[in-house]
């Protein structure tokens, strides 16, 4: 798909049915509007045309949504691989979602893995930004930059500069040709910073992400290594230094031609065409078309991650891990005060506490229930998942209040992919409010928010240290007088088994 402008690319996606900005892909449209700034038109193609967006600008605007989607697939794939190993079956695990009643979405694990890998390739590519590692530090302008200039531009703590802010601009040199080349260089730094911001807010966070990724070579990994070596900051400083030199008349104008050629390495038309093709393919995946519903299943990966050490054992029946639109036991959970069970879509009655009559039903996405020796089940934790991008405090608050009233022994968590509204908990009666919490923007590309959600689950379901007695010392002992072998195991409780 060869398009010269963002407007052409957007129209091509619309005509092919790749995007539906009025309904299902409203989140993409909102992300684009946020980057475009205030506009009097709802026609996104026209707005892109007015500001002369390139396809690279369009991809940069929607990449946070692509990253969140890729992260969901990655985390779900990790959970499914774990479940497949636990099920000890030679058959390929099947995953079945029933996002709407009688509308199942059925995938083999192998097919899901292919789609997850495809999404990962898109996100870890440069999104149309090339990054020739062998040439990145050979800028013709590098002699104009130094650490004093880095500090002057980025402040006393340049390591804390947020990559999503891009590169600071410099004043005009008075030479239009020099201004054009320097502006191009800063746009390249912007593009690299935009890729880096997908994996960490600052240099330190990106370095941590790089260390986790290991040795796999991708464009993003090369950028992360360069960020560790201060490439974005030093390149920005060099361009600012070149601008100062042009103003003073001390720069040889031939350096501008050399710099323009050097920048060609980063803005390859072939790279851009390949990125557009890859993103178009990603937007056409069946799982992309179900990503809002898939978010509810992704939350189960966060529950599992919060419990850690395999404290959740998922149920597989006939080679199928199912998330159906009906009450289903997903996993057994070990925690203090247990045993517990993780259920999805379990429905119970909401009873008026005065008349004791049924006044409605409660069906949260997930419940943790405790089962007593007599078989009675008590909900101790309910999790309601919202995929909306916009906050709606009134609607969400009513749901939270209803669940808190109907589950008097439970903590109720409301978790959303986007904002939920600042006053959600204000709609919950004060008597129930302390048992409720709201977690906004819990998604793979917002690690702090996701971490807070997991920490709350871990707090509510602490590990029961009394359930296990782990070996603290293992000793193999041979008696030199007898051909025999004794195994001695000392447990943390002090018990010894020989």
């Amino acid at each position: 798909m060869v398009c010269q402008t963002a407007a052409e690319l957007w129209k091509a996606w619309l005509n092919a049915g790749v995007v539906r900005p009025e309904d299902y892909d409203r989140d993409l449209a909102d992300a684009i509007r946020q980057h475009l700034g205030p506009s009097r038109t709802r026609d996104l193609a026209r707005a892109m045309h007015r500001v002369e967006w390139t396809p690279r600008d369009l991809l940069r605007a929607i990449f946070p949504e692509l990253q969140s989607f890729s992260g969901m697939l990655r985390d779900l794939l990790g959970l499914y691989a774990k479940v497949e190993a636990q099920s000890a079956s030679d058959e390929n695990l099947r995953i079945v979602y029933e996002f709407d009643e009688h509308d199942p979405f059925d995938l083999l694990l192998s097919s899901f893995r292919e789609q997850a890998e495809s999404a990962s390739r898109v996100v870890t590519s440069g999104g149309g930004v090339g990054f020739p590692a062998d040439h990145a530090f050979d800028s013709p302008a590098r002699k104009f930059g130094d650490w004093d200039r880095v500090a002057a531009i980025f402040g006393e703590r340049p390591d804390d500069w947020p990559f999503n802010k891009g590169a600071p601009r410099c004043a005009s040199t008075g030479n239009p040709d020099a201004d054009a080349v320097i502006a191009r260089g800063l746009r390249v730094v912007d593009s690299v910073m935009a890729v880096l911001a997908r994996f960490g807010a600052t240099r330190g966070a990106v370095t941590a992400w790089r260390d986790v990724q290991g040795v796999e070579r991708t464009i993003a990994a090369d950028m992360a290594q360069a960020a560790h070596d201060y490439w974005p900051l030093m390149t920005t400083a060099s361009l600012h230094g070149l601008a100062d030199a042009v103003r003073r008349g001390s720069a040889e104008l031939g350096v501008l031609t050399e710099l323009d050629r050097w920048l060609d390495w980063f803005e390859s038309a072939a790279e851009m065409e390949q990125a557009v093709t890859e993103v178009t393919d990603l937007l056409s995946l069946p799982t992309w078309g179900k990503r809002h519903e898939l978010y509810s299943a992704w939350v189960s990966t966060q529950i599992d991650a919060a419990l850690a050490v395999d404290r959740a054992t998922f149920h597989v029946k006939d080679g199928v891990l199912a998330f159906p639109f009906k009450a289903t036991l997903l996993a057994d959970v070990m925690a203090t005060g247990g045993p517990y069970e993780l259920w999805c879509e379990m429905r119970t009655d909401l009873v008026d506490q005065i008349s004791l009559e049924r006044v409605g039903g409660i069906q949260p996405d997930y419940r943790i229930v405790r089962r007593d020796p007599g078989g009675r089940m008590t909900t101790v934790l309910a999790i309601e998942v919202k995929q909306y991008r916009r906050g709606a405090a009134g609607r969400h608050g009513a749901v939270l209040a209803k669940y808190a009233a109907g589950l008097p022994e439970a903590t109720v968590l409301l978790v959303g992919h986007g904002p939920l509204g600042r006053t959600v908990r204000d709609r919950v009666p004060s008597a129930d409010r302390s048992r409720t919490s709201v977690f906004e923007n819990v998604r793979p590309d917002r690690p702090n928010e996701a971490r807070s959600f997991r920490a709350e689950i871990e707090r509510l379901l602490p590990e029961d240290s009394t359930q296990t007695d782990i070996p603290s010392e293992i000793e193999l002992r041979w008696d030199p007088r007898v051909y025999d072998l004794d195994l001695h195991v000392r447990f943390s409780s002090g018990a010894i088994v020989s």
Side-chain angles (χ1 to χ4, degrees), residues 9-62:
L9 177 56
W10 185 250
K11 288 178 179 178
W13 283 348
L14 288 174
N15 293 336
V18 172
V19 293
R20 292 159 39 192
E22 297 304 320
D23 45 73
Y24 198 81
D25 293 312
R26 188 174 294 172
D27 54 343
L28 292 189
D30 287 345
I32 293 167
R33 290 190 184 96
Q34 185 177 2
H35 280 257
L36 284 169
S39 176
R40 295 180 180 178
T41 177
R42 292 185 58 82
D43 186 334
L44 290 178
R46 181 177 298 179
M48 292 180 212
H49 178 72
R50 285 179 180 174
V51 296
E52 300 182 347
W53 262 20
T54 67
R56 186 174 285 109
D57 295 316
L58 174 55
L59 297 192
R60 185 188 306 168
I62 67 173

Side-chain angles (χ1 to χ4, degrees), residues 48-121:
M48 292 180 212
H49 178 72
R50 285 179 180 174
V51 296
E52 300 182 347
W53 262 20
T54 67
R56 186 174 285 109
D57 295 316
L58 174 55
L59 297 192
R60 185 188 306 168
I62 67 173
F63 250 103
E65 305 309 316
L66 304 184
Q67 183 188 6
S68 177
F69 172 64
S70 175
M72 283 194 288
L73 298 188
R74 177 201 62 221
D75 293 342
L76 282 165
L77 181 61
L79 175 62
Y80 300 154
K82 166 189 164 181
V83 172
E84 183 183 47
Q86 288 179 343
S87 66
S89 172
D90 293 332
E91 298 181 4
N92 193 329
L93 180 70
R94 282 174 45 232
I95 306 109
V96 178
Y97 307 101
E98 194 172 7
F99 302 121
D100 299 302
E101 200 164 9
H102 310 306
D103 181 25
F105 185 57
D106 195 333
L107 275 177
L108 284 174
L109 178 58
S110 56
S111 299
F112 191 92
R113 181 177 289 108
E114 290 175 3
Q115 296 192 29
E117 291 172 351
S118 176
S120 178
R121 282 194 298 271

Side-chain angles (χ1 to χ4, degrees), residues 311 333-340 462-470 491-493:
R311 289 201 285 140
V333 175
M334 295 303 299
T336 299
Y340 298 96
E463 184 173 6
D464 189 351
S465 59
T466 66
Q467 295 293 320
T468 57
D469 194 9
I470 60 174
F491 288 86
S492 55
S493 63

Side-chain angles (χ1 to χ4, degrees), residues 13-288:
W13 283 348
L14 288 174
N15 293 336
V18 172
V19 293
R20 292 159 39 192
E22 297 304 320
D23 45 73
Y24 198 81
D25 293 312
R26 188 174 294 172
D27 54 343
L28 292 189
D30 287 345
I32 293 167
R33 290 190 184 96
Q34 185 177 2
H35 280 257
L36 284 169
S39 176
R40 295 180 180 178
T41 177
R42 292 185 58 82
D43 186 334
L44 290 178
R46 181 177 298 179
M48 292 180 212
H49 178 72
R50 285 179 180 174
V51 296
E52 300 182 347
W53 262 20
T54 67
R56 186 174 285 109
D57 295 316
L58 174 55
L59 297 192
R60 185 188 306 168
I62 67 173
F63 250 103
E65 305 309 316
L66 304 184
Q67 183 188 6
S68 177
F69 172 64
S70 175
M72 283 194 288
L73 298 188
R74 177 201 62 221
D75 293 342
L76 282 165
L77 181 61
L79 175 62
Y80 300 154
K82 166 189 164 181
V83 172
E84 183 183 47
Q86 288 179 343
S87 66
S89 172
D90 293 332
E91 298 181 4
N92 193 329
L93 180 70
R94 282 174 45 232
I95 306 109
V96 178
Y97 307 101
E98 194 172 7
F99 302 121
D100 299 302
E101 200 164 9
H102 310 306
D103 181 25
F105 185 57
D106 195 333
L107 275 177
L108 284 174
L109 178 58
S110 56
S111 299
F112 191 92
R113 181 177 289 108
E114 290 175 3
Q115 296 192 29
E117 291 172 351
S118 176
S120 178
R121 282 194 298 271
V122 172
V123 171
T124 55
S125 73
V129 184
F131 196 82
D134 295 340
H135 299 273
F137 287 90
D138 292 335
S139 166
R142 63 185 181 278
K143 61 184 178 182
F144 298 101
D146 54 41
W147 289 109
D148 289 340
R149 193 176 292 276
V150 168
I153 295 170
F154 294 98
E156 295 182 359
R157 297 173 60 90
D159 276 4
D160 295 338
W161 181 263
F163 283 137
N164 62 8
K165 291 182 66 172
R169 273 17 188 192
C170 51
S172 172
T173 66
N175 181 324
D177 292 336
D179 287 346
V181 175
I182 292 169
R184 184 189 180 195
L186 292 172
R187 284 197 303 272
V188 166
V189 176
D190 281 349
S191 297
V192 173
M193 283 186 170
V195 174
L196 293 171
R198 302 174 207 158
F199 310 104
T202 62
R203 173 183 171 273
V206 168
T207 296
W209 171 83
R210 180 208 60 175
D211 293 343
V212 170
Q213 295 305 299
V215 297
E216 182 181 0
R217 286 293 301 274
T218 64
I219 290 177
D222 285 344
M223 289 181 182
Q225 177 60 54
H228 175 74
D229 295 330
Y230 293 94
W231 183 91
L233 307 185
M234 187 58 75
T235 301
T236 301
S238 298
L239 293 168
H240 279 247
L242 173 59
D244 287 345
V246 172
R247 289 191 205 96
R248 294 193 305 267
S250 59
E252 297 179 5
L253 297 184
V255 73
L256 298 175
T257 302
E258 295 175 15
L259 180 61
D260 212 27
R261 291 172 180 166
W262 178 73
L263 292 172
D264 287 341
W265 287 94
F266 300 88
E267 294 190 327
S268 161
E271 292 273 7
M272 191 67 249
E273 184 175 345
Q274 180 180 349
V276 167
T277 299
E278 290 176 346
V279 171
T280 303
D281 291 344
L282 186 152
L283 297 177
S284 303
L285 287 176
T287 44
W288 173 265

Side-chain angles (χ1 to χ4, degrees), residues 268-496:
S268 161
E271 292 273 7
M272 191 67 249
E273 184 175 345
Q274 180 180 349
V276 167
T277 299
E278 290 176 346
V279 171
T280 303
D281 291 344
L282 186 152
L283 297 177
S284 303
L285 287 176
T287 44
W288 173 265
K290 293 287 188 180
R291 71 189 183 283
H292 297 309
E293 296 86 348
L294 201 68
Y295 176 68
S296 182
W298 175 78
V299 170
S300 70
T301 72
Q302 301 305 289
I303 298 172
D304 180 61
L307 297 172
V309 197
D310 294 331
R311 289 201 285 140
T313 303
F314 283 78
H315 290 255
V316 176
K317 184 177 180 180
D318 299 326
V320 176
L321 177 62
F323 290 82
F325 194 74
K326 61 182 179 181
T328 301
L329 174 60
L330 290 179
D332 296 316
V333 175
M334 295 303 299
T336 299
Y340 298 96
E341 297 169 353
L342 172 62
W343 286 75
C344 72
E345 300 293 349
M346 178 189 285
R347 186 177 181 86
T348 54
D349 288 343
L350 175 60
V351 178
D352 184 275
Q353 296 303 306
I354 298 176
S355 66
L356 299 181
E357 293 182 356
R358 181 183 182 278
V359 295
I362 295 175
Q363 192 173 4
D365 291 279
Y366 296 101
R367 295 186 193 222
I368 298 288
V369 303
R370 181 178 60 239
R371 190 182 293 274
D372 64 25
R376 176 177 175 269
M377 298 170 66
T378 302
T379 300
V380 298
L381 173 62
I383 302 172
E384 178 66 6
V385 182
K386 298 299 181 185
Q387 298 87 18
Y388 306 109
R389 182 173 177 84
R390 292 189 178 94
R395 181 172 67 245
H396 300 328
V399 170
L400 194 61
K402 180 180 179 180
Y403 286 177
L407 300 170
E409 298 183 65
T411 298
V412 183
L413 309 182
L414 186 66
V415 56
H417 185 270
L420 295 171
R422 296 181 179 179
T423 60
V424 173
R425 294 180 72 240
D426 293 348
R427 312 301 173 100
V428 181
S430 57
D432 296 329
R433 196 173 300 154
S434 63
R435 293 185 293 106
T436 65
S437 294
V438 176
F439 295 89
E440 301 181 303
N441 300 306
V442 176
R443 45 193 283 176
D445 60 321
R446 301 286 289 268
N448 291 336
E449 287 82 351
R451 189 179 302 113
S452 296
F453 174 61
R454 293 194 301 269
E456 179 65 1
I457 294 174
E458 185 177 16
R459 184 185 73 81
L460 294 169
L461 297 168
E463 184 173 6
D464 189 351
S465 59
T466 66
Q467 295 293 320
T468 57
D469 194 9
I470 60 174
S472 60
E473 176 184 324
I474 299 177
E475 178 182 350
L476 293 176
R477 181 184 303 162
W478 284 265
D479 189 318
R481 297 168 297 175
V482 181
Y483 291 103
D484 192 11
L485 171 64
D486 290 332
L487 174 62
H488 300 264
V489 181
R490 183 188 304 275
F491 288 86
S492 55
S493 63
I496 299 176

